[in-house]
Amino acid sequence: MSATPLSQPEKSSEVKKEVVGAEKVIVEHIRESETEEIKKLLHVRNATFTAAAEKGRLDPWSKDSFILYWCCFVAFLCSCANGYDGSLMTAINAMPFYQTRFNAGTLGPTTGLIFSIYTIGGIVGPFFAGPLTDSKLGRRGAMQVGAIVICVGSAVIASAMKKPQFITGRFILGFGVSILTCAAPSYVAEVSPPQWRGRMTAFYNLGWFGGSIPAAGITLACQSIQSDWSWRLPLIFQAVPSLVVIVFVWFLPESPRWLVANSRDGEALAFLTRFHGNGDSQNPVVALEWAEFKEAIAIDGADKRWWDYSELFKSRNARWRSLTVIMMACFGQFSGNGLGYFNLEIYSSLGYDNHQQFVLNLASAIVSAFAAGCGVALSDRMPRRQALIWGTLASALFLAINGGLSVKWAHMPDNHKILSIGQGGVAAFFFFNIAFSFAYTPLQGLYPVEVLQTTARAKGMSMYGVVVALFSFINLYAGPIALQNIKYNYIFIFVGWDIVEAVLWYLLGVETVGRSLEELEELFSSPYPVSASKRTQVIAVKESGDITIVDA
């Protein structure tokens, strides 16, 4: 929301009133108001929701709020498993004892297969993940099943003596992660208070760095071990976040939206009262959410039929939502960030030795995590469309600089290399990671679950997982081959594609910030949701704290 300076309005006697919340908070609609009564004017996406949130403020330091934070942290751990793998395989692939054991090579088809079989598990897994998340086990049960599968995969891969067992373990890990990445973001988005939803759900995907940074640190510490334990120990640690999820997930409250969808209204209302209303059943946020739940959530929807995916495509509204999910899945994997799996090869091509490559890999993860954390902190205020448009353009710019400096470095004679060129290439790649992490990392977990309806959310996230896995497969299988054959020129493919992505976000990206999940129904039902999502309302905050909606 943004503040507007006050002019000198004239009085008007035209006043409309509407009721917001169970305690009958009256929100006035007026054209003009007396200057002395008004503290400030604000431009907001939804005036009614803003009024309810203002009247029903939550205590962030209460015991119940800390339970919500714990819910968010357990979901965060589900994302850690995925991030851990990204940094883990980058480092293990450069370890001599790993290469001796499996003779995989640092680049080429064999490395591509070992890396990409993880995504094959990610393609198969979502077809089970969606129905499982919608099942009687609920969101929590699906998280536990996914965590158990990851522990099994870690045991298989860490004990591997031959390449087939290692590849099998990679498949199992990808399968388990696909269940977690369906259930966990759905869960945290559904339990979060609407005024905190952006930060809490975006924090879930920050778990990528919660996994990748420890993985980079662990592999840096283990790379000096002169035995197979140099790569086995990091693989064992991959199971740690999932073990925590297994232990604690059943102590968490279940999603109130899942409860309503399964005819458990009493439990759902009790959840809203306790966690979204400071224990006050008359809290206006609780009443607003409850009314939206009862209107928007079907108890006989497609989520009750494991085979029915029609909710994703049966109406124009649903197709817009699904298009948004597919765009996020595609662009979130294919904007150049897939190069991160081959950071060490990129650093090597720019003249850095083995130890320096591991240090840079860790430093890149830390810097990217900081940028993503800044994005998370702004997620309840920062417009999604603008972040994606400008973040993608910035990514294209820094990749172009990295590619240009890589070309210059490659054409220099070995005995006349200018170190600053290589350093500039690394710096540009760091800035690319910063831009991508700030814009995309918070929204990869947040945006898809926001735009999906409750009864389509789990299966929609399954679809998201399949598309993510397909593009990850391209990155992981084609990436080593491309880097081996066309080297730095591979980077320029992503420069051009990122520009295309930015244009598509401008034309098709729907703004969701500042709205409850259920009210997006009206947005996506409009003739052109992009235009409808950019409209704002003006509210006047009076000196008394009351809110007045200013009609045009």
Side-chain angles (χ1 to χ4, degrees), residues 205-325:
N205 208 48
L206 199 59
W208 172 272
F209 296 106
S212 67
I213 291 174
I218 290 168
T219 51
L220 176 61
C222 291
Q223 56 103 15
S224 60
I225 298 175
Q226 299 301 304
S227 72
D228 278 354
W229 286 108
S230 61
W231 58 269
R232 291 191 192 276
L233 280 175
L235 290 168
I236 292 170
F237 282 116
Q238 189 165 11
V240 172
S242 294
L243 286 172
V244 178
V245 173
I246 291 169
V247 171
F248 288 103
V249 72
W250 286 111
F251 294 99
L252 307 179
E254 184 54 272
S255 156
R257 289 173 172 86
W258 181 87
L259 291 170
V260 170
N262 286 272
S263 302
R264 293 164 63 176
D265 289 11
E267 294 172 68
L269 185 56
F271 176 97
L272 293 180
T273 299
R274 179 180 176 185
F275 294 106
H276 292 190
N278 290 322
D280 179 10
S281 62
Q282 302 301 307
N283 187 292
V285 172
V286 172
L288 186 63
E289 283 191 283
W290 187 248
E292 290 177 341
F293 281 16
K294 298 304 290 181
E295 180 180 352
I297 301 176
I299 61 173
D300 59 349
D303 56 322
K304 309 304 185 299
R305 300 179 291 276
W306 66 266
W307 45 266
D308 188 355
Y309 284 76
S310 62
E311 289 280 359
L312 298 176
F313 305 104
K314 71 178 184 180
S315 65
R316 187 175 179 277
N317 176 309
R319 289 189 292 274
W320 259 105
R321 293 173 186 263
S322 294
L323 173 64
T324 306
V325 171

Side-chain angles (χ1 to χ4, degrees), residues 291-473:
E292 290 177 341
F293 281 16
K294 298 304 290 181
E295 180 180 352
I297 301 176
I299 61 173
D300 59 349
D303 56 322
K304 309 304 185 299
R305 300 179 291 276
W306 66 266
W307 45 266
D308 188 355
Y309 284 76
S310 62
E311 289 280 359
L312 298 176
F313 305 104
K314 71 178 184 180
S315 65
R316 187 175 179 277
N317 176 309
R319 289 189 292 274
W320 259 105
R321 293 173 186 263
S322 294
L323 173 64
T324 306
V325 171
I326 290 170
M327 286 173 59
M328 193 71 217
C330 168
F331 301 169
Q333 298 301 312
F334 212 62
S335 297
N337 52 310
L339 294 168
Y341 272 90
F342 311 104
N343 278 348
L344 300 191
E345 284 70 32
I346 292 172
Y347 300 146
S348 175
S349 71
L350 291 169
Y352 290 89
D353 65 29
N354 189 262
H355 180 74
Q356 289 173 323
Q357 292 166 28
F358 277 89
V359 172
L360 286 170
N361 192 44
L362 176 59
S364 177
I366 294 172
V367 170
S368 298
F370 177 78
C374 292
V376 168
L378 296 171
S379 291
D380 282 309
R381 293 178 290 168
M382 184 169 61
R384 320 283 194 239
R385 288 183 76 253
Q386 298 301 318
L388 291 168
I389 292 168
W390 292 107
T392 307
L393 286 174
S395 297
L397 173 64
F398 290 123
L399 279 179
I401 295 171
N402 174 263
L405 292 174
S406 297
V407 171
K408 192 171 182 64
W409 176 273
H411 285 87
M412 289 179 179
D414 288 342
N415 58 342
H416 288 89
K417 297 285 190 185
I418 302 174
L419 186 59
S420 61
I421 299 295
Q423 292 171 336
V426 170
F429 196 66
F430 266 58
F431 278 112
F432 160 76
N433 284 325
I434 289 170
F436 180 88
S437 299
F438 178 82
Y440 274 88
T441 299
L443 297 183
Q444 283 175 303
L446 171 60
Y447 201 36
V449 294
E450 278 188 328
V451 302
L452 290 163
Q453 293 174 313
T454 296
T455 53
R457 187 162 291 121
K459 287 172 181 168
M461 289 305 292
S462 294
M463 176 181 69
Y464 175 81
V466 169
V467 178
V468 164
L470 285 170
F471 280 92
S472 294
F473 178 82

Side-chain angles (χ1 to χ4, degrees), residues 33 57 107 154 170 276 287 317 342 365 422 451 492 509:
S33 185
R57 283 182 177 272
L107 294 173
S154 295
R170 293 279 296 155
H276 292 190
N317 176 309
F342 311 104
V451 302
F492 293 108

Side-chain angles (χ1 to χ4, degrees), residues 74-75 77-79 81 132 139-155 172-173 175-181 183-184 238-250:
V74 171
L77 292 176
C78 293
S79 183
L132 182 65
R139 311 313 198 205
R140 297 175 303 169
M143 285 192 284
Q144 185 173 59
V145 170
I148 291 171
V149 173
I150 286 174
C151 289
V152 171
S154 295
I172 295 171
L173 286 168
F175 189 96
V177 164
S178 71
I179 298 174
L180 290 182
T181 54
Q238 189 165 11
V240 172
S242 294
L243 286 172
V244 178
V245 173
I246 291 169
V247 171
F248 288 103
V249 72
W250 286 111

Side-chain angles (χ1 to χ4, degrees), residues 18-47:
E18 68 175 286
V19 177
V20 179
E23 66 173 16
K24 300 186 184 301
V25 176
I26 303 297
V27 182
E28 294 182 348
H29 286 252
I30 61 173
R31 291 189 181 279
E32 305 280 355
S33 185
E34 295 184 81
T35 305
E36 59 270 18
E37 295 181 358
I38 300 176
K39 184 178 180 180
K40 58 185 174 180
L41 296 178
L42 298 173
H43 291 268
V44 298
R45 303 287 177 184
N46 184 284

Side-chain angles (χ1 to χ4, degrees), residues 8-234:
Q8 292 292 329
E10 299 173 359
K11 290 185 181 181
S12 171
S13 60
E14 181 180 346
V15 177
K16 296 183 292 181
K17 295 184 178 181
E18 68 175 286
V19 177
V20 179
E23 66 173 16
K24 300 186 184 301
V25 176
I26 303 297
V27 182
E28 294 182 348
H29 286 252
I30 61 173
R31 291 189 181 279
E32 305 280 355
S33 185
E34 295 184 81
T35 305
E36 59 270 18
E37 295 181 358
I38 300 176
K39 184 178 180 180
K40 58 185 174 180
L41 296 178
L42 298 173
H43 291 268
V44 298
R45 303 287 177 184
N46 184 284
T48 304
F49 166 72
T50 303
E54 191 69 24
K55 286 290 182 181
R57 283 182 177 272
L58 287 175
D59 177 7
W61 301 103
S62 69
K63 175 184 174 182
D64 291 331
S65 291
F66 275 91
I67 292 175
L68 287 180
Y69 303 154
W70 182 247
C71 293
C72 186
F73 180 72
V74 171
F76 167 90
L77 292 176
C78 293
S79 183
C80 287
N82 203 18
Y84 191 97
D85 185 82
S87 193
L88 172 76
M89 287 307 300
T90 300
I92 283 180
N93 195 46
M95 291 182 175
F97 283 91
Y98 167 81
Q99 289 294 338
T100 300
R101 171 66 62 182
F102 299 113
N103 193 28
T106 58
L107 294 173
T110 301
T111 295
L113 175 62
I114 290 174
F115 275 51
S116 62
I117 196 67
Y118 177 86
T119 65
I120 300 298
I123 293 171
V124 176
F127 292 101
F128 298 87
L132 182 65
T133 303
D134 279 333
S135 73
K136 295 299 182 183
L137 287 175
R139 311 313 198 205
R140 297 175 303 169
M143 285 192 284
Q144 185 173 59
V145 170
I148 291 171
V149 173
I150 286 174
C151 289
V152 171
S154 295
V156 171
I157 197 170
S159 61
M161 300 298 289
K162 301 291 184 182
K163 196 181 301 179
Q165 182 178 341
F166 193 92
I167 292 172
T168 300
R170 293 279 296 155
F171 176 87
I172 295 171
L173 286 168
F175 189 96
V177 164
S178 71
I179 298 174
L180 290 182
T181 54
C182 173
S186 298
Y187 174 77
V188 72
E190 291 178 357
V191 301
S192 299
Q195 59 268 53
W196 294 354
R197 185 186 74 236
R199 282 164 292 175
M200 290 185 70
T201 311
F203 180 75
Y204 151 79
N205 208 48
L206 199 59
W208 172 272
F209 296 106
S212 67
I213 291 174
I218 290 168
T219 51
L220 176 61
C222 291
Q223 56 103 15
S224 60
I225 298 175
Q226 299 301 304
S227 72
D228 278 354
W229 286 108
S230 61
W231 58 269
R232 291 191 192 276
L233 280 175

